[in-house]
Amino acid sequence: MPGMVLGGRYQVQDKIGTGGMATVFRGHDEVLGRTVAVKTMLPQYATDPSFAARFKQEAQAAAALQSPYIVSVYDWGKDADTYYIVMEYLRGTDLKSGIRKHGALDCKKVAQIGSQIAQALSVAHKHDIIHRDIKPQNIMVQPDGNIKVMDFGIARAKNSHLTTDNSVLGTAHYVSPEQTQGKELGPTTDLYSLGIVMYEASTGQVPFQGDDAITVALKQVNEQPKPPSQLNPAVDPSLESIILKCMQKDPAARFQTADELYRTLRDYLAGRMQSVNSATALLPAAATTALDRTGATGATNALPAVDRTGRFRPQSATEQAADQEAERAHKKKRNIILGVVGALALIAVIIFAVTSMLGSSTTAKAVPNLLGYTQDEAVQKIEEEGFEVGSVNSKYDSSVAEGKVCDQDPAANLQMPEGSTVNIWVSKGAEPAEEVEVPDLTNKSAADAESALEAVGLVGKVGSEEESDDVGAGKVSSQDPKAGTTAKAGDTVTFHLSTGPSQVVVTNVVGDDESTATSRLKQAGFKVSVQSVSSSSVSKGTVVSTDPGVNTSADKGATITLYVSSGPESVSITDVTGWSYADAKAELEGAGFTVKLASGSSAEGIVTKQSATGSATAGTTITLTTQAASTDGTGADKNPTNGGGSDAGSGTNGTSNSTSANSSNG
């Protein structure tokens, strides 16, 4: 298969997965130039008409579903003997792998994932499509934290001829009791499976385990799950009650629509506990029919009792006996009431018959069907049929056009005495969605932005990435609609993630004066700081270098450091008077100065004068004046080498002459 081109445009690349009846490849759409996922039916099924019909139905059903939380189907077809479906290519990991790697998720994340799956199921159910195989393996968690529901491979439309096969098609750990028993399935079967997905996400394990699929399936029918908080104490009671309501054995005791479950999870995320408690109020336990391994049926156990926290606890034998006694009393009371009602009904019949025999003048007529009429038309119809117009009311009804009658009392075709009053309700159209304020998503991660939107009933969508000088990479830099504006609950808010600041080349300002360099860099979008450095080669006030260096790239808005020359460095001058010229010269040249001997001075003399004192810049010329060692007793050597002083000695001619302190006679 790799290397083939299907439908003249989809090049098949490497295999990325295999399912029960198909293989999935990474592919390339040569027309639109994008990566896609290509699902192809396994060869052994391609010649089977029933599997081909199922494959075709999957493609048609999935292609009709448009939701940010459902994998998109772009195309489908048949090329030679190969049936294929072209889908959105997803990056990320499936929820099952995530739970295996990280264990139980926190309650808010579980609710966020659950609410997104519920929104996906709502779209499918409105198209009369039941997924039938909701499980973590079919939930892809994308890099931005949002999910996509995948694989409608066993999904069925309610009106499909393929629904006659009600065999267990899902995975045993996630199937509903009615799916196990081969009963007719409705939207609540997907909600049961979603409840198990949230159970596993919040505890790290599935509620029912066994050695084989049959054992697990029987537990789905017969056993109550342990409350999630018993496996993970971090699960709070409100989320636990939502999960356990999804997992009720009786479909009528569960949430009845995916929208209802979504709204409850949204209220939970928003902290509206009163709404959650109201939505998860437990219904009376209802008996269901269970199957044993032989196929025999038997009554299942009643639901366990509930403690003050709203969590399930096992019933004791005493409590079970009390419940049974209460049930018997209830039935007895019901039978008495039914007997009284029956007697009253009999009396009414007798009265009606007697009245008829006495020739009552009141004629019974069928109430006309007024639905779909305008108010004026309905009033006219009521009067034409011999009835009286009662109250005219109005209410919201999304299924009936505004201005048309959407309800009536008495109901249409009911036999009523002529002249009876008929009340009508005129539709105001669909109820307007609640208006909410759009939150500020700036600097939030994609997951946090999604949570903030869900908390107020809005839907988040990740738009294109964009550069931002003010927002770090991976955070929200802009959104549409803007923060603070109003939107209707259910509206989509598109937010864009920052790739960080744009990169700008650092302008070459070396050799410019400080003012010019600062102006040029600011015009390029940088901030500027200045540091002084001494330089004997660059004039004072001129830029010596920059950091980062010139002609390199830096983030727009980054700070560029200018190193500006303060001129040559000033050096302290040592006082060398009284030193020998040779020592003085070595000292000053070592400090960076140039030494010059004054005219008429001897390099063998003692320094008596220097042209500069204090400090001067390196390289400055200092002139030294010297004087030969004194021979008249007035200029004794100040740098003796033999410890001698300025003592006068005896000349060889007997006269009293001063001699050098450095003389040979010491």
Side-chain angles (χ1 to χ4, degrees):
M1 288 297 295
M4 290 182 61
V5 177
L6 299 175
R9 64 183 288 184
Y10 305 110
Q11 184 181 49
V12 180
Q13 299 175 341
D14 53 308
K15 183 169 70 174
I16 57 178
T18 302
M21 59 182 287
T23 302
V24 182
F25 297 86
R26 182 184 288 105
H28 182 72
D29 183 344
E30 296 181 338
V31 174
L32 297 179
R34 64 182 175 185
T35 300
V36 295
V38 181
K39 176 184 281 190
T40 62
M41 183 184 292
L42 294 175
Q44 59 265 38
Y45 299 121
T47 57
D48 187 323
S50 65
F51 278 96
R54 179 181 296 181
F55 195 84
K56 178 180 178 181
Q57 179 177 297
E58 174 194 349
Q60 291 174 325
L65 305 181
Q66 300 296 320
S67 167
Y69 306 118
I70 296 177
V71 60
S72 298
V73 172
Y74 299 141
D75 195 5
W76 67 278
K78 181 181 179 183
D79 192 328
D81 294 328
T82 301
Y83 289 86
Y84 65 90
I85 299 175
V86 182
M87 302 176 294
E88 175 184 8
Y89 179 75
L90 300 179
R91 292 173 173 82
T93 183
D94 65 89
L95 181 58
K96 186 73 172 182
S97 299
I99 295 172
R100 285 173 177 164
K101 182 176 180 180
H102 302 291
L105 308 180
D106 70 84
C107 292
K108 292 294 185 183
K109 188 62 179 177
V110 173
Q112 179 186 340
I113 290 173
S115 71
Q116 292 183 358
I117 299 173
Q119 291 177 74
L121 291 176
S122 176
V123 172
H125 293 168
K126 287 174 182 175
H127 283 76
D128 286 336
I129 294 173
I130 303 168
H131 190 286
R132 299 176 182 234
D133 196 21
I134 292 296
K135 57 186 178 182
Q137 295 91 324
N138 283 336
I139 309 301
M140 179 65 76
V141 182
Q142 300 177 97
D144 64 2
N146 291 318
I147 63 94
K148 291 268 189 180
V149 178
M150 306 183 296
D151 198 0
F152 280 78
I154 62 171
R156 297 290 180 275
K158 284 183 179 179
N159 58 358
S160 169
H161 67 281
L162 295 178
T163 57
T164 56
D165 177 10
N166 280 328
S167 60
V168 178
L169 294 172
T171 304
H173 288 102
Y174 306 94
V175 294
S176 65
E178 61 271 21
Q179 198 170 0
T180 296
Q181 295 168 300
K183 294 181 178 179
E184 183 178 353
L185 305 183
T188 56
T189 199
D190 282 344
L191 302 188
Y192 181 95
S193 299
L194 174 51
I196 295 184
V197 170
M198 292 192 290
Y199 186 108
E200 184 178 4
S202 61
T203 64
Q205 64 184 66
V206 292
F208 304 112
Q209 303 183 42
D211 295 331
D212 52 54
I214 295 177
T215 300
V216 175
L218 287 172
K219 289 183 177 181
Q220 298 283 14
V221 176
N222 295 318
E223 294 187 10
Q224 295 296 336
K226 287 184 179 179
S229 58
Q230 289 187 13
L231 302 177
N232 178 12
V235 178
D236 65 62
S238 296
L239 180 62
E240 179 172 273
S241 62
I242 294 172
I243 293 172
L244 293 177
K245 181 167 182 177
C246 290
M247 293 175 60
Q248 293 290 295
K249 304 298 183 187
D250 180 5
R254 302 171 197 153
F255 294 98
Q256 293 303 290
T257 66
D259 277 336
E260 182 186 2
L261 173 57
Y262 162 68
R263 288 193 298 269
T264 304
L265 288 168
R266 182 189 67 192
D267 288 339
Y268 169 78
L269 288 166
R272 295 191 281 267
M273 292 300 105
Q274 185 64 35
S275 299
V276 174
N277 293 338
S278 176
T280 57
L282 293 171
L283 299 175
T288 57
T289 301
L291 292 174
D292 62 18
R293 284 182 178 269
T294 66
T297 61
T300 62
N301 296 329
L303 292 175
V306 179
D307 61 23
R308 292 183 179 179
T309 67
R311 296 174 178 169
F312 289 114
R313 60 176 175 79
Q315 278 188 312
S316 67
T318 301
E319 288 173 326
Q320 291 179 5
D323 287 346
Q324 292 169 2
E325 181 61 32
E327 179 66 16
R328 283 194 292 271
H330 172 72
K331 289 180 179 179
K332 182 177 180 181
K333 183 178 179 181
R334 181 190 62 191
N335 291 337
I336 293 172
I337 294 173
L338 289 175
V340 172
V341 171
L344 292 174
L346 179 59
I347 293 171
V349 171
I350 293 171
I351 293 173
F352 177 77
V354 172
T355 303
S356 299
M357 287 187 292
L358 292 176
S360 171
S361 61
T362 303
T363 304
K365 298 185 65 175
V367 176
N369 185 354
L370 307 172
L371 301 183
Y373 284 74
T374 65
Q375 178 179 329
D376 291 342
E377 291 170 342
V379 169
Q380 181 179 349
K381 185 72 172 177
I382 291 170
E383 293 175 343
E384 286 176 353
E385 295 292 334
F387 295 97
E388 295 291 332
V389 178
S391 62
V392 177
N393 312 287
S394 62
K395 65 180 180 179
Y396 291 110
D397 191 322
S398 59
S399 63
V400 178
E402 184 178 358
K404 300 295 182 70
V405 175
C406 59
D407 199 0
Q408 65 181 79
D409 181 32
N413 301 318
L414 186 65
Q415 295 292 321
M416 295 293 294
E418 188 173 0
S420 296
T421 298
V422 179
N423 306 309
I424 61 173
W425 281 262
V426 178
S427 172
K428 295 195 292 183
E431 184 173 2
E434 175 189 1
E435 286 199 345
V436 296
E437 182 177 335
V438 179
D440 187 358
L441 307 178
T442 306
N443 274 316
K444 293 183 183 293
S445 66
D448 289 344
E450 186 72 30
S451 296
L453 292 171
E454 284 191 0
V456 296
L458 298 172
V459 177
K461 178 183 177 182
V462 180
S464 58
E465 294 182 328
E466 60 186 16
E467 294 179 344
S468 174
D469 298 335
D470 304 314
V471 178
K475 303 292 185 179
V476 177
S477 54
S478 65
Q479 64 186 84
D480 182 30
K482 294 182 179 180
T485 59
T486 56
K488 293 181 179 179
D491 283 356
T492 297
V493 176
T494 302
F495 54 87
H496 304 275
L497 299 178
S498 169
T499 58
S502 57
Q503 293 282 301
V504 182
V505 175
V506 178
T507 307
N508 187 354
V509 293
V510 173
D512 290 352
D513 61 73
E514 179 183 335
S515 176
T516 301
T518 299
S519 176
R520 292 180 66 192
L521 289 173
K522 285 184 175 180
Q523 287 177 357
F526 296 111
K527 299 174 184 176
V528 178
S529 68
V530 178
Q531 290 189 19
S532 295
V533 293
S534 59
S535 175
S536 58
S537 59
V538 179
S539 60
K540 184 176 181 180
T542 301
V543 176
V544 177
S545 63
T546 65
D547 183 25
V550 298
N551 298 325
T552 61
S553 295
D555 290 344
K556 189 174 182 180
T559 298
I560 308 299
T561 302
L562 291 178
Y563 293 96
V564 179
S565 172
S566 58
E569 183 180 4
S570 183
V571 182
S572 178
I573 302 173
T574 304
D575 183 359
V576 294
T577 55
W579 293 37
S580 69
Y581 175 75
D583 289 342
K585 184 174 184 295
E587 170 69 16
L588 294 174
E589 286 181 343
F593 299 110
T594 300
V595 178
K596 179 180 179 182
L597 184 63
S599 177
S601 294
S602 169
E604 302 300 327
I606 302 301
V607 176
T608 58
K609 182 181 178 182
Q610 60 190 85
S611 61
T613 59
S615 62
T617 58
T620 299
T621 299
I622 299 177
T623 302
L624 298 180
T625 302
T626 65
Q627 180 178 321
S630 175
T631 57
D632 58 4
T634 61
D637 187 355
K638 293 183 180 179
N639 191 24
T641 59
N642 61 1
S646 56
D647 302 317
S650 301
T652 57
N653 58 5
T655 60
S656 180
N657 296 320
S658 293
T659 60
S660 170
N662 196 25
S663 63
S664 60
N665 65 358

